[in-house]
Amino acid sequence: MQTDTPNQSKASSQRRVFLVVFGFLVILTGLSFWVANSDIMENRILGWSVMISISVCKAMLVVAFFMHLWWEPSWKYALTIPTLFMGCMLVLLLVPDIGMRTDHYPRSRQQLSPEAITVPEVPQFNEPPTHPDPSHGAKT
Amino acid sequence: MEPMVNSQGNSEPDHDGHAVPLVYQRALPMSPGKVAIWLFLSTEIMFFTALIGTYIVLRFGAPEGTWPTPAQVGVVEWLGALNTFVLICSSMTIVFAYEAAKSDRVRAARGWLVATTLLGLVFLGIKGFEYKSKYTHGIYPRFPRSLMHDRADLYFVSNFSSHLKQRISDEENFSARSSEQAATLLENLYLIQSGLVNWTEKKVGMSDDPNMKRMALEAFAHQVHPLSKRPDIEKYLADEETELRQEQQRLLPEQEQLESKLASAQQQMSALADEIAQLESDRKSQVDDDGNFPAAGELERQRKGELESAEQGAKETTQLISEVNQTLNPIQQRLEAHSAFNQLEHGINEHFHLKLPMVIPSGNTWANTYFLITGFHALHVIIGIVVFLLLIPLELNRRRAKVMENVGLYWHFVDIVWIFLFPMIYLF
């Protein structure tokens, strides 16, 4: 079929694009797996930010190429810009106001939370109590 | 005469005064189906944003150390990564299916669609395996099925105790088969009951120091299901062991001494009893004509008195021994529990496959969000698979390419949701 040749070459070049995108997606998945088990997680906020950024990149690759938005006309902006705005606002509003609120909890509020895993005070066995303060789950 | 058609596809207005035929023009440069699917996807974005937003509030709002890490609730990272890979592959295959349908390669389109369906099923299979392992570890959203407690407190100990009693009675009935393994397990269960549960209850009940109580409860929870390395608890347990060994060293000779005293008293008693019996039979052989014996002699009365006092002494010694044992036995059981359970890396629950209550702070909240979010995602996967199954028998030619595209858009969206869920649930 002579007439199909340009279409076929376009299809094969598009297929190459898809395969490259697929490769990037696999590499990025591996990367976020690596980040989770690396020293970056010593600073957990940094590790989380890196992993979420990787996820955003992956999502953008899928949306742009697998969902063909890259090749779509300008209606794609009507769709993507409000969504991006909502996504950014969600993070900007939730994380500082609600996600990090417990960083500034007073002691009385901490007592209502489930038991903290780290306990700073180590009482000696069978010694008179050195900490008469009966605070529960408190941090120093 | 053929009507002229201009570049927009409209027929030219004719000049004979006829009405211009109305021509349908789309408002958007895309098919209505595609508009609909994108509109649907925007509602889906909002739906999952709400779920993920809730997760963010709960996860990052939990005070430091009160949200379980993936390892603590048995989430296996590489399974999540594998599932991500499976979904990415399925996104790839659905793209190929669409491309094939667009260029009228019907067989190829069907093949890629079948591959996508199979990958979706693999995803669900791995997910099901993970759910199963959650259930077998007692990770449920809430009581009574959930075995997770937020705090190491007395509610936890009593719940643990009642579960353990149930388990022991089950094992006792089961060990009618009396395999060696079952017997060992039962022995360990008894040791858990005496050396861990009863000891902790007693310790907490008798201590006045709140720090002490807390430490005892935390050490117990740590031995059942350790969440992380706890040098403080290790030190506490080591100190306790030293203390108890000293106590044992003090009590063991005492017990031995009392027991030898009891043994000698018993020997003396039996000797006395023999002598008295001898004297009595001697006396009874001297029966007179009326059938009366002579009254008991001085010696016999004296021996009887001695026997009585020896019996009294033995009774007192037995009392003392039981008192010593009452202190010594729990100590010995505790020491035995120390040597049996302190070295277990994953705690007794994991080591003996016990399914007993454990302490995981915010574990139930975690399970709520985990099952809700992954459950809704799995539901979307199931719906996608159903649609694929409906499409597979059809002729997937150019005419159906639009349907294929829309289904593909939906499937890619499901993939994107998982792309965000994977780090949030498996890696954070």
Side-chain angles (χ1 to χ4, degrees):
Chain A
M1 285 192 285
Q2 288 282 310
T3 50
D4 268 335
T5 318
N7 265 351
Q8 269 174 356
S9 78
K10 192 185 155 219
S12 78
S13 80
Q14 217 177 18
R15 173 173 283 220
R16 203 157 48 238
V17 171
F18 288 142
L19 285 173
V20 169
V21 169
F22 174 77
F24 268 109
L25 288 175
V26 172
I27 290 167
L28 286 173
T29 306
L31 190 64
S32 77
F33 190 80
W34 175 79
V35 167
N37 296 298
S38 72
D39 294 342
I40 299 174
M41 281 303 276
E42 304 267 301
N43 182 347
R44 298 206 298 161
I45 304 272
L46 179 68
W48 291 338
S49 313
V50 171
M51 283 191 278
I52 282 295
S53 311
I54 290 172
S55 285
V56 170
C57 290
K58 282 161 74 181
M60 281 165 82
L61 283 176
V62 171
V63 170
F65 297 103
F66 285 177
M67 295 171 94
H68 310 110
L69 271 198
W70 187 262
W71 298 286
E72 294 285 359
S74 56
W75 64 263
K76 63 188 172 190
Y77 299 114
L79 183 94
T80 47
I81 290 173
T83 314
L84 279 180
F85 181 73
M86 189 179 86
C88 294
M89 287 313 278
L90 181 85
V91 174
L92 289 177
L93 292 174
L94 282 185
V95 171
D97 281 4
I98 297 172
M100 291 162 74
R101 71 191 187 281
T102 53
D103 295 0
H104 311 290
Y105 265 7
R107 221 168 217 230
S108 55
R109 203 57 205 281
Q110 292 270 0
Q111 291 173 6
L112 295 172
S113 67
E115 205 87 28
I117 295 170
T118 47
V119 182
E121 297 152 337
V122 187
Q124 292 297 305
F125 185 70
N126 270 1
E127 267 184 16
T130 45
H131 301 282
D133 174 21
S135 61
H136 199 60
K139 293 175 170 186
T140 46
Chain B
M1 195 181 110
E2 287 283 317
M4 297 259 297
V5 174
N6 69 8
S7 58
Q8 271 87 45
N10 297 345
S11 47
E12 289 261 319
D14 62 12
H15 304 287
D16 302 334
H18 293 298
V20 179
L22 291 175
V23 174
Y24 167 71
Q25 274 189 306
R26 302 201 279 257
L28 283 170
M30 57 209 273
S31 71
K34 203 158 150 186
V35 175
I37 199 78
W38 273 109
L39 207 58
F40 172 65
L41 290 187
S42 8
T43 65
E44 287 279 76
I45 289 170
M46 285 187 259
F47 178 77
F48 276 103
T49 305
L51 288 180
I52 292 175
T54 312
Y55 176 77
I56 289 176
V57 169
L58 292 168
R59 165 72 184 87
F60 299 97
E64 189 71 23
T66 62
W67 191 265
T69 62
Q72 286 168 2
V73 278
V75 167
V76 184
E77 288 177 359
W78 67 265
L79 277 180
L82 181 64
N83 251 352
T84 313
F85 179 71
V86 167
L87 272 196
I88 290 173
C89 287
S90 76
S91 262
M92 194 72 236
T93 53
I94 193 80
V95 165
F96 287 157
Y98 168 56
E99 296 292 322
K102 217 165 57 172
S103 52
D104 262 344
R105 286 178 288 128
V106 176
R107 280 176 60 84
R110 179 170 297 153
W112 286 120
L113 198 56
V114 168
T116 314
T117 314
L118 290 178
L119 286 168
L121 288 173
V122 168
F123 176 88
L124 285 181
I126 294 174
K127 201 78 237 159
F129 172 76
E130 287 184 302
Y131 274 23
K132 176 91 195 316
S133 95
K134 295 281 161 302
Y135 296 151
T136 52
H137 284 86
I139 293 174
Y140 284 88
R142 53 165 291 143
F143 298 109
R145 290 192 142 232
S146 165
L147 297 176
M148 293 181 291
H149 284 252
D150 272 347
R151 290 164 177 272
D153 52 13
L154 277 176
Y155 295 111
F156 164 62
V157 180
S158 69
N159 193 20
F160 184 93
S161 177
S162 65
H163 270 82
L164 181 65
K165 275 176 193 146
Q166 183 59 44
R167 181 67 197 260
I168 285 176
S169 76
D170 288 354
E171 282 301 323
E172 276 166 348
N173 296 335
F174 174 74
S175 342
R177 288 203 262 160
S178 78
S179 72
E180 197 174 315
Q181 213 177 353
T184 325
L185 178 63
L186 201 53
E187 234 163 69
N188 277 316
L189 288 175
Y190 288 137
L191 188 57
I192 290 167
Q193 194 173 31
S194 59
L196 296 184
V197 180
N198 294 351
W199 177 268
T200 308
E201 276 173 345
K202 204 179 83 183
K203 185 100 194 154
V204 172
M206 281 163 56
S207 172
D208 291 328
D209 176 9
N211 272 330
M212 212 64 222
K213 291 185 185 194
R214 188 167 140 73
M215 212 57 210
L217 287 166
E218 290 214 346
F220 173 60
H222 184 79
Q223 281 177 313
V224 173
H225 183 77
L227 293 172
S228 54
K229 275 265 166 239
R230 287 290 296 271
D232 55 337
I233 285 177
E234 273 161 31
K235 183 171 168 7
Y236 167 84
L237 288 175
D239 287 351
E240 189 192 66
E241 194 168 354
T242 326
E243 190 81 17
L244 291 179
R245 288 241 180 270
Q246 282 169 7
E247 190 76 1
Q248 193 191 26
Q249 291 308 312
R250 191 176 66 77
L251 286 172
L252 271 180
E254 200 174 316
Q255 188 200 32
E256 216 168 289
Q257 201 183 343
L258 283 169
E259 261 167 10
S260 69
K261 193 173 157 192
L262 181 66
S264 71
Q266 273 162 348
Q267 217 171 358
Q268 192 193 352
M269 270 155 61
S270 70
L272 280 169
D274 285 350
E275 199 177 343
I276 289 167
Q278 185 62 42
L279 285 168
E280 254 178 9
S281 68
D282 283 357
R283 187 155 53 81
K284 280 174 189 170
S285 64
Q286 301 168 7
V287 66
D288 64 7
D289 299 340
D290 300 338
N292 293 330
F293 320 114
E298 182 66 27
L299 186 62
E300 196 181 335
R301 278 209 300 281
Q302 194 187 334
R303 288 286 178 268
K304 273 188 176 163
E306 273 171 22
L307 180 63
E308 228 163 73
S309 71
E311 272 169 356
Q312 190 63 30
K315 218 186 215 173
E316 276 165 21
T317 316
T318 319
Q319 183 71 23
L320 282 176
I321 287 175
S322 83
E323 268 168 34
V324 169
N325 278 347
Q326 248 174 27
T327 337
L328 189 62
N329 282 347
I331 290 175
Q332 274 173 331
Q333 282 161 348
R334 178 64 175 173
L335 285 171
E336 212 179 310
H338 266 296
S339 57
F341 304 137
N342 280 7
Q343 304 308 320
L344 303 181
E345 202 187 334
H346 300 296
I348 53 173
N349 226 0
E350 197 67 31
H351 190 265
F352 301 110
H353 308 289
L354 287 183
K355 265 192 96 169
L356 294 172
M358 57 205 160
V359 173
I360 300 178
S362 295
N364 296 312
T365 319
W366 178 86
N368 270 319
T369 52
Y370 171 80
F371 284 117
L372 190 72
I373 299 178
T374 59
F376 268 119
H377 180 263
L379 189 66
H380 280 76
V381 174
I382 290 170
I383 291 169
I385 287 174
V386 169
V387 174
F388 295 154
L389 291 177
L390 291 175
L391 283 178
I392 285 171
L394 302 181
E395 171 120 346
L396 300 169
N397 52 22
R398 197 179 306 188
R399 248 174 3 94
R400 293 222 166 78
K402 283 199 165 71
V403 179
M404 288 297 291
E405 187 183 10
N406 294 343
V407 172
L409 288 175
Y410 170 81
W411 192 252
H412 296 310
F413 172 76
V414 172
D415 185 20
I416 289 172
V417 171
W418 185 257
I419 282 173
F420 283 103
L421 291 188
F422 165 60
M424 284 192 170
I425 286 173
Y426 289 83
L427 305 179
F428 276 16

